């Protein structure tokens, strides 16, 4: 597995990250041959202020040999838009609390979602992270 990450600060408020992956595994393809898989992800984060950042992500993943157990050998894409809310950033005891709602759109060129019935899907999620 090769994983390469590049991050650059485009301005005081805007950060760009690009992540590329390539993997290889012997005898892991659906037909028993050697397998490769690869993908690229891009992330943009815009810090509005100390309490709020707007995040966007786009990803493409390809598993032509079916080695990763996705259930498809086609391409899978996703785009996500989310927020990183630090509701208590000014409080020294709870400054590391992050609430992160997001909405995501996934697409596959093969019918992959909903048990193989659909090419795409929408999802919404929220998580909370507290570092200590």
């Amino acid at each position: 597995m090769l994983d390469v990450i590049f991050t650059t600060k485009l301005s005081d408020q805007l950060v760009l990250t690009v992540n590329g992956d390539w993997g290889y595994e012997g005898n892991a393809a659906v037909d028993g041959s050697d397998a490769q898989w690869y993908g690229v992800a891009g992330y943009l984060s815009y810090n509005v202020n100390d309490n709020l950042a707007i995040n966007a992500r786009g990803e493409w993943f390809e598993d032509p040999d079916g080695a990763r157990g996705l259930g498809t050998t086609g391409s899978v894409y996703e785009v996500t838009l989310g927020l990183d809310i630090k509701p208590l950033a000014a409080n020294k005891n709870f400054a590391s609390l992050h609430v992160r709602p997001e909405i995501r759109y996934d697409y596959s060129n093969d019918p992959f979602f909903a048990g193989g019935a659909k090419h795409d899907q929408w999802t919404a999620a929220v998580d909370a992270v507290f570092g200590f």
Side-chain angles (χ1 to χ4, degrees):
M1 178 80 192
L2 175 65
D3 181 46
V4 178
I5 300 172
F6 170 78
T7 300
T8 187
K9 194 171 186 180
L10 300 174
S11 72
D12 287 342
Q13 295 172 290
L14 188 62
V15 176
L16 169 68
T17 301
V18 178
N19 175 212
D21 289 322
W22 173 82
Y24 170 87
E25 187 174 355
N27 305 315
V30 174
D31 66 3
S33 64
D34 296 345
Q36 296 185 62
W37 59 92
Y38 37 87
V40 177
Y43 307 84
L44 271 175
S45 181
Y46 182 79
N47 290 309
V48 176
N49 57 40
D50 289 343
N51 296 83
L52 178 65
I54 301 169
N55 299 314
R57 178 179 69 239
E59 296 178 273
W60 163 68
F61 183 73
E62 185 79 22
D63 182 15
D65 301 308
R68 298 296 73 192
L70 291 178
T72 183
T73 56
S75 297
V76 180
Y77 306 87
E78 74 88 5
V79 177
T80 301
L81 184 61
L83 301 174
D84 185 356
I85 304 164
K86 300 174 225 167
L88 302 170
N91 182 309
K92 69 176 186 162
N93 295 318
F94 296 98
S96 66
L97 175 63
H98 296 252
V99 178
R100 303 181 310 184
E102 68 178 27
I103 188 162
R104 173 178 170 148
Y105 175 73
D106 292 278
Y107 176 82
S108 174
N109 56 343
D110 292 330
F112 168 70
F113 302 101
K118 293 178 59 182
H119 285 273
D120 63 349
Q121 72 177 5
W122 285 92
T123 54
V126 64
D127 67 13
V129 177
F130 183 72
F132 54 93

